[in-house]
Amino acid sequence: MTNEPFFPFLRSILPFLGKGALMTVELTIISVGIGVIIGIFGGMARVSRNPILLVPSTIYVEVIRGTPLLAQLFLVYFGLPSLGINLPPFTAAVIAMGINSGAYVTEIFRGGIQSIEKGQMEAARPLGLSYLQAMRYIILPQAFKRILPPLGNEFIAMLKDSSLASTIAIAELMRVGREITSRTFRSFEVLTVVALLYLAITLPLSLLVRYAERRMSVSD
Amino acid sequence: MIRLEKIYKRFGKLEVLRGVDLNIEKGEVVVIIGPSGAGKSTLLRCINLLERPTSGRVIFEGIDITRMDGRNIDKVRERIGMVFQHINLFNHLNVMDNVILAPMKVKGLSRNTAEQIARSLLERMGLGDKLYAYPSQLSGGQRQRVAIARALAMQPDIMLFDEPTSALDPEMIKEVLDVMKALVNDGMTMVIVTHEMGFAKEVASRIIFMDDGYIVEEGTPKEIFSNPKEERTAMFLSKILY
Ligand SMILES: Nc1ncnc2c1ncn2[C@@H]1O[C@H](COP(=O)(O)OP(=O)(O)OP(=O)(O)O)[C@@H](O)[C@H]1O
Ligand SMILES: [Mg+2]
């Protein structure tokens, strides 16, 4: 197997790598999905003048962004069991990555909300809409459109960072690559293919993001 | 209908309103005039508590709303329509959705009912062919008429206008004033801040001249324009009427 020509070798490992890539995408979608849910509320908390919302959300963002994702991942997977909380690897990964992503998405939403002209809120309140209704029906829909590009970038970043989940025994793309490497010793070829597979997912996404950015700069 | 009692408003050290008393009866059209910085906008914003008075009371139909909590203030705001100089339609919604949003989400009207109300309002304002246009596709005058329709769709008891034509090109001023005149003819209670003196003369049941944070003088258009009692009123009018 180690002397097999490249293309047949590639064909034999691609199904495994493909499965790994699927796992990577799944992990990323769920994590960023959690991140977006956290981010909507986090972003609103970050623009609030109420310290009960503002202070914890700021601490959350600073702590998460100021510490490595790997440390967060280990804390959830290896650290929580000592408190009697045992999580399966996938759950642990999704929790750690979701909370991590949430901090970045919070800041994205904060920026998006702040980018909407003050007049939109000012027009909504006299109509009897509450602050939360104005957020929901007026501010967030407009903010959401504007933050699609940075959200896309966050997705791309998380997709790459999800390779860290290989350290807690999740069979995502990186992990599968390393397992094949240790079986076949063809590190260079395998890891190159792994890298190209990441690129195959991220490149179309970044092109899409750039296209969206360009369209937005034209429309407003 | 609305009574303001001893309204003071301070922004930091700046005292913008200094003891304003004002009573607005149902069906009245009160026009507020005065130089820039007099506190006209601030006063208007105190009426629906967009600005909280530093002291004083706003009594809406016998109830002191300055003491209310946020939820109840929203309830009061439903009944007080407001139109600003800076026209802020909801950019992501078309004309129809701009107008029906609050009736649906605040009053709980069905889409059907809300659309019926909106359509007849918009048609009356000459916007029947713009129901599904987006704000960016409208002229300033059209946008302001949509803003008026949006406020009216809540079927308010009173309408507040803060220089609704000041941001408009001259040729669009008339279309907005005409819409407002139609409202006056319908008997709507209105408080209008404006520099359009001809319009003020024509529609006002009472003119209030404000300067320096308080009401200097008030009276019928005839009293104010033909023989103002106060020196400052005369000065202001001579400047504005050439
Ligand atoms: N939110 C605010 N913070 C600080 N100062 C304010 C605020 N709003 C208004 N002011 C100040 O209060 C004063 C009165 O403002 P206001 O807008 O009520 O005047 P106005 O009579 O409406 O003037 P204009 O004709 O220019 O619209 C001004 O000096 C203004 O700078
Ligand atoms: Mg003003």
Side-chain angles (χ1 to χ4, degrees), chain B residues 11 14 16 35-42 51 163 195:
Chain B
F11 292 111
L14 185 68
V16 175
S36 181
K40 307 180 297 293
S41 298
T42 308
E51 248 14 297
E163 300 194 34
H195 293 302

Coordinates of all heavy atoms in Angstrom, one line a residue, chain B residues 11 14 16 35-42 51 163 195, ligand 1:
Chain B
F11 N -30.3 69.1 29.6 CA -29.3 68.2 29.1 C -28.0 68.5 29.7 O -27.3 69.5 29.3 CB -29.1 68.3 27.5 CG -30.3 67.8 26.8 CD1 -31.2 68.7 26.1 CD2 -30.6 66.4 26.8 CE1 -32.3 68.2 25.4 CE2 -31.8 66.0 26.1 CZ -32.6 66.9 25.4
L14 N -27.2 72.3 30.3 CA -28.0 73.1 29.4 C -29.5 72.9 29.7 O -30.0 71.8 29.6 CB -27.7 72.6 27.9 CG -28.4 73.5 26.8 CD1 -27.8 74.9 26.8 CD2 -28.2 72.7 25.5
V16 N -32.9 73.3 28.5 CA -33.6 73.5 27.2 C -35.0 73.9 27.3 O -35.5 74.7 26.6 CB -33.4 72.2 26.4 CG1 -34.2 72.3 25.1 CG2 -32.0 71.9 26.2
P35 N -37.3 80.5 17.2 CA -36.0 80.4 16.6 C -35.3 79.0 16.9 O -35.8 78.3 17.8 CB -35.2 81.5 17.3 CG -35.9 81.8 18.5 CD -37.3 81.5 18.2
S36 N -34.3 78.7 16.1 CA -33.6 77.5 16.3 C -33.0 77.4 17.7 O -32.5 78.4 18.2 CB -32.5 77.4 15.2 OG -31.8 76.2 15.4
G37 N -33.1 76.3 18.3 CA -32.6 76.1 19.7 C -33.6 76.5 20.8 O -33.2 76.5 21.9
A38 N -34.7 76.9 20.4 CA -35.7 77.4 21.3 C -36.2 76.3 22.2 O -36.7 76.5 23.3 CB -36.9 78.0 20.6
G39 N -36.1 75.0 21.7 CA -36.6 73.9 22.5 C -37.9 73.3 21.9 O -38.5 72.5 22.6
K40 N -38.2 73.7 20.7 CA -39.5 73.2 20.1 C -39.5 71.7 19.9 O -40.4 71.0 20.3 CB -39.7 73.9 18.7 CG -39.6 75.4 18.8 CD -39.8 76.0 17.4 CE -38.7 75.6 16.4 NZ -37.4 76.1 16.6
S41 N -38.4 71.1 19.4 CA -38.4 69.7 19.2 C -38.4 69.0 20.5 O -39.0 67.9 20.7 CB -37.1 69.3 18.4 OG -37.1 69.9 17.1
T42 N -37.6 69.5 21.4 CA -37.5 68.9 22.7 C -38.9 68.8 23.4 O -39.3 67.8 24.0 CB -36.5 69.6 23.6 OG1 -35.3 69.7 22.9 CG2 -36.3 68.9 24.9
E51 N -38.4 62.0 25.1 CA -37.5 62.7 26.0 C -38.2 62.7 27.4 O -39.4 63.1 27.4 CB -37.3 64.1 25.6 CG -36.0 64.7 25.1 CD -34.9 63.8 24.6 OE1 -34.3 63.1 25.5 OE2 -34.5 63.9 23.5
E163 N -41.3 69.9 12.1 CA -40.8 70.5 10.9 C -40.8 69.4 9.7 O -39.8 69.1 9.2 CB -39.3 70.9 11.1 CG -39.2 72.0 12.1 CD -37.9 72.7 12.1 OE1 -37.3 72.9 11.0 OE2 -37.4 73.1 13.2
H195 N -41.8 76.1 10.1 CA -41.4 77.5 9.7 C -42.2 78.0 8.5 O -42.0 79.0 8.0 CB -39.9 77.5 9.3 CG -39.0 77.2 10.5 ND1 -38.9 78.0 11.6 CD2 -38.1 76.2 10.7 CE1 -38.1 77.6 12.4 NE2 -37.5 76.5 11.9
Ligands
LIG1 N1 -30.2 65.0 23.2 C1 -29.6 66.2 23.4 N2 -28.5 66.3 24.2 C2 -28.0 67.5 24.4 N3 -28.5 68.7 24.0 C3 -29.6 68.6 23.2 C4 -30.2 67.4 23.0 N4 -31.3 67.6 22.2 C5 -31.4 69.0 22.1 N5 -30.4 69.6 22.7 C6 -30.1 71.0 22.7 O1 -31.3 71.6 23.2 C7 -31.5 72.9 22.6 C8 -32.9 72.9 22.0 O2 -33.0 71.9 21.0 P1 -34.3 71.7 20.2 O3 -33.9 70.7 19.1 O4 -35.4 71.4 21.1 O5 -34.5 73.1 19.5 P2 -35.5 73.5 18.3 O6 -36.3 74.6 18.8 O7 -36.2 72.3 17.8 O8 -34.5 74.0 17.2 P3 -34.5 73.8 15.6 O9 -35.5 74.8 15.1 O10 -33.1 74.0 15.2 O11 -35.0 72.4 15.3 C9 -30.4 73.0 21.6 O12 -29.4 73.9 22.1 C10 -29.9 71.6 21.4 O13 -28.5 71.7 21.1

